[in-house]
């Protein structure tokens, strides 16, 4: 399985990607996670990326493309991968096609997770993530037992800097303008599948597996 996950911020791509990893043992490549790790470690790349991320803007393509190419060349991607949050615009999608052609590992699918806009806002403002294992919670829909502690590993939960209301609005606008056109891009290449990302996590996951044609 070599897939791209598409969907607005808050559509639940990361949650579904984690379930696919658990079930199929293939890596999730989340450019957002890689960038946040660089920000946390204070690398030069992280310092550059942070100024864009804090505003809800996309980090320049030249930064992101290098990260993805390096990651796709790692051995664990030979058995498949899930690209989560990448590509984010047409230039990235075209560059990805070129990288994958060189590596002889073209995409087997692009899955769009569609969620109505009104739901996205609540999902994003309520989102909390575990520093330890990356498990996600939502204070409105799926809270942890203790507000600031992960049920799974006991790690501390945090509210992402870019999950604040103003930044969220900008991220949703950037999605509409730059990322949503990729739905057509992959429709034209004949690999697009879509699911409605509403319902319980397990219900959505079973729709995801059906759409991808896996059990
Ligand atoms: P995410 O966790 O995927 O919502 O990404 C958080 C932020 O990281 C985005 O708002 C962007 O600023 C940046 N980012 C993540 N992936 C990309 C990408 N493929 N291209 C450009 N910027 C990205």
């Amino acid at each position: 399985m070599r897939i791209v996950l598409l969907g607005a911020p808050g559509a639940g791509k990361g949650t579904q990607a984690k379930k696919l990893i658990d079930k199929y043992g293939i890596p999730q490549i989340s450019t957002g996670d890689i960038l946040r790790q660089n920000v946390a470690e204070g690398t030069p790349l992280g310092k550059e990326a942070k100024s864009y991320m804090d505003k809800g803007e996309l980090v320049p393509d030249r930064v992101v493309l290098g990260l993805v190419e390096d990651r796709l060349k790692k051995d664990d991607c030979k058995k498949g991968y899930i690209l989560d949050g990448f590509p984010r615009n047409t230039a990235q999608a075209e560059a990805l096609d070129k990288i994958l052609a060189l590596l002889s590992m073209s995409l087997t699918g692009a899955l769009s997770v569609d969620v109505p806009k009104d739901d996205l806002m609540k999902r994003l403002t309520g989102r909390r993530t575990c520093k330890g294992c990356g498990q996600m919670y939502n204070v409105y829909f799926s809270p942890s037992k203790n507000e600031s502690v992960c049920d799974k590993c006991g790690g501390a939960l945090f509210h992402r800097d870019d999950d604040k209301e103003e930044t969220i609005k900008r991220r949703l606008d950037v999605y509409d303008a730059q990322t949503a056109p990729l739905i057509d891009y992959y429709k034209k290449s004949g690999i697009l599948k879509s699911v409605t990302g509403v319902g319980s996590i397990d219900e959505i996951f079973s729709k995801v597996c059906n759409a991808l044609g896996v059990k």
Side-chain angles (χ1 to χ4, degrees):
M1 186 191 306
R2 295 185 297 272
I3 58 167
V4 162
L5 285 182
L6 294 170
K13 299 185 298 295
T15 304
Q16 294 301 323
K18 290 206 164 50
K19 288 189 75 77
L20 287 167
I21 300 168
D22 286 349
K23 198 159 171 189
Y24 299 103
I26 53 176
Q28 169 199 24
I29 304 177
S30 157
T31 41
D33 284 350
I34 300 173
L35 290 168
R36 276 185 290 281
Q37 197 180 336
N38 275 275
V39 171
E41 288 168 2
T43 66
L45 189 152
K47 285 187 182 132
E48 183 182 358
K50 186 170 169 32
S51 58
Y52 296 94
M53 294 167 82
D54 284 350
K55 285 185 284 192
E57 304 288 342
L58 294 185
V59 174
D61 293 347
R62 69 181 152 72
V63 175
V64 177
L65 286 169
L67 290 176
V68 173
E69 183 165 2
D70 287 350
R71 184 65 190 84
L72 283 166
K73 284 180 176 159
K74 298 234 161 90
D75 264 359
D76 61 344
C77 291
K78 291 202 175 105
K79 56 186 174 183
Y81 50 80
I82 301 161
L83 284 165
D84 167 15
F86 177 91
R88 281 291 232 275
N89 58 31
T90 307
Q92 290 184 8
E94 288 168 352
L96 175 65
D97 286 343
K98 285 191 189 131
I99 294 169
L100 294 178
L102 287 173
L103 298 174
S104 302
M105 40 157 59
S106 58
L107 294 172
T108 56
L111 180 76
S112 168
V113 183
D114 306 328
V115 173
K117 248 222 173 97
D118 287 350
D119 295 357
L120 292 173
M121 205 67 198
K122 213 166 184 184
R123 289 194 185 183
L124 288 164
T125 52
R127 183 153 77 175
R128 301 292 181 271
T129 312
C130 174
K131 276 203 168 108
C133 68
Q135 176 69 33
M136 283 183 274
Y137 298 90
N138 187 292
V139 295
Y140 303 111
F141 307 119
S142 52
S144 55
K145 288 193 191 92
N146 176 322
E147 207 183 310
S148 53
V149 180
C150 177
D151 293 346
K152 244 178 146 179
C153 77
L157 302 185
F158 72 101
H159 191 197
R160 280 170 43 173
D161 283 346
D162 61 352
D163 277 346
K164 309 282 153 65
E165 201 160 328
E166 269 318 296
T167 316
I168 288 169
K169 286 199 182 112
R170 182 67 197 133
R171 287 166 63 208
L172 292 174
D173 287 346
V174 167
Y175 174 80
D176 284 340
Q178 300 195 46
T179 313
L182 293 183
I183 293 179
D184 255 1
Y185 181 92
Y186 288 114
K187 201 184 273 173
K188 281 189 190 127
S189 65
I191 59 166
L192 183 77
K193 325 261 180 221
S194 302
V195 296
T196 306
V198 179
S200 75
I201 290 172
D202 287 338
E203 278 162 11
I204 299 168
F205 187 59
S206 101
K207 288 191 269 183
V208 166
C209 292
N210 276 338
L212 293 174
V214 292
K215 289 208 178 122

